[in-house]
Amino acid sequence: PTEYQLASDDGKRTLWVVFVIMVIASVVFSALSWSVPMSRRLYHVITTMITVIAAISYFGMATGHGVAYHHVQVRESHSHVPDTYADVYREVYWARYVDWSLTTPLLLLDLCLLAGIDGGHTIIAIAADLIMILTGLFAAFGTEGTPQKWGWYAIACIAYLVLVWHLAVHGNRFASAKGSKVSKFFGAIATFTLILWTAYPIVWGVADGSRKASVDAEIIAYAILDVLAKPIFGLWLLLTHAKMPETNVEI
Ligand code: RET
């Protein structure tokens, strides 16, 4: 027999709700850009792209795209009946990794521009980030019970540490050079980002990792994190930028 771990109505409704939130955030962010000259819309453009990509990804997931039925285990289905095993398949939403591979570099770009980090260190942070997301995807589809799955996860975590190191060390250094206002704001929004981002590998560990969380719980946990990491982060960044000319980036 075959068993499935699937999203129920709660999970599906959550995907639709986040889709709507991402659309609204995209409209609000582009509307906020109208009052600033084109030469100063860089944060607006980047931040709107982030929520547009998330809206597309959530539309896909809500309508049943971007999901695979991954064979997670073979287990005994009726212990009192010998030789009956169940193949267990679980929904793995790979659309998230497509979303993250585009949006996390853009989020980092926002932060690097804010701190004024040089191009070289910005590229290193983004490269580490891409390695983290790609190896995280491999981990999600890794074979259970072999070193493969948690091996990929370990590689992703090392890449995450490299990115955090770059953002913290160089971010604080460059932001201080821009004055105390920018450096205080960078410290606050980078700490918010760090706490949120660290929750992702924890959710992954109990969902795609050990499969202890249901697919619904996984959808809801990522939904909360995604709303904080994209629309709330974006709103905070754009509103603060509007009243802090020191954060300006001319293009
Ligand atoms: C994975 C699993 C492998 C180990 C690590 C991960 C980190 C993911 C992160 C994702 C951030 C996503 C954001 C989305 C925006 O809304 C891939 C879960 C370290 C940090 C900010």
Side-chain angles (χ1 to χ4, degrees):
T2 304
E3 272 176 39
Y4 290 95
Q5 297 178 0
L6 306 170
S8 76
D9 286 346
D10 284 344
K12 284 175 198 151
R13 215 171 296 122
T14 306
L15 293 172
W16 279 116
V17 169
V18 179
F19 163 69
V20 172
I21 293 174
M22 294 298 177
V23 170
I24 294 171
S26 306
V27 173
V28 170
F29 295 163
S30 48
L32 283 174
S33 77
W34 297 339
S35 57
V36 300
M38 194 61 208
S39 65
R40 264 194 232 124
R41 285 185 189 171
L42 189 52
Y43 292 112
H44 298 79
V45 172
I46 295 171
T47 309
T48 308
M49 276 173 70
I50 292 167
T51 52
V52 166
I53 292 166
I56 293 169
S57 157
Y58 268 93
F59 177 80
M61 293 192 288
T63 57
H65 265 158
V67 61
Y69 299 86
H70 181 55
H71 187 222
V72 293
Q73 59 173 327
V74 182
R75 61 171 190 78
E76 247 178 285
S77 60
H78 303 289
S79 50
H80 54 282
V81 184
D83 298 327
T84 53
Y85 291 93
D87 278 309
V88 184
Y89 289 84
R90 182 184 171 100
E91 281 185 328
V92 175
Y93 287 88
W94 53 261
R96 295 190 189 289
Y97 297 88
V98 179
D99 170 333
W100 296 347
S101 69
L102 298 167
T103 56
T104 55
L106 291 170
L107 288 163
L108 283 177
L109 193 56
D110 264 341
L111 290 171
C112 289
L113 288 168
L114 176 66
I117 297 181
D118 63 287
H121 286 109
T122 301
I123 289 175
I124 295 173
I126 290 178
D129 176 76
L130 287 170
I131 290 173
M132 171 186 83
I133 301 297
L134 203 53
T135 53
L137 171 67
F138 299 160
F141 287 100
T143 307
E144 312 279 322
T146 74
Q148 186 184 53
K149 178 168 155 172
W150 293 99
W152 283 128
Y153 182 80
I155 294 171
C157 288
I158 293 168
Y160 180 55
L161 294 178
V162 171
L163 118 72
V164 167
W165 170 266
H166 272 264
L167 198 65
V169 173
H170 303 294
N172 283 324
R173 181 161 61 89
F174 281 94
S176 304
K178 281 183 146 195
S180 69
K181 268 168 113 185
V182 175
S183 125
K184 241 183 103 190
F185 176 49
F186 176 78
I189 200 166
T191 304
F192 173 75
T193 301
L194 189 67
I195 293 170
L196 275 181
W197 286 37
T198 303
Y200 282 84
I202 297 172
V203 170
W204 193 98
V206 293
D208 273 328
S210 65
R211 321 269 181 207
K212 287 202 171 70
S214 67
V215 174
D216 277 348
E218 172 186 332
I219 290 174
I220 293 166
Y222 281 137
I224 296 168
L225 292 176
D226 284 349
V227 169
L228 292 170
K230 287 171 171 136
I232 301 297
F233 169 93
L235 200 62
W236 187 12
L237 176 67
L238 294 183
L239 294 181
T240 309
H241 167 53
K243 31 175 220 211
M244 206 185 277
E246 297 90 333
T247 60
N248 285 354
V249 181
E250 296 280 346
I251 46 171

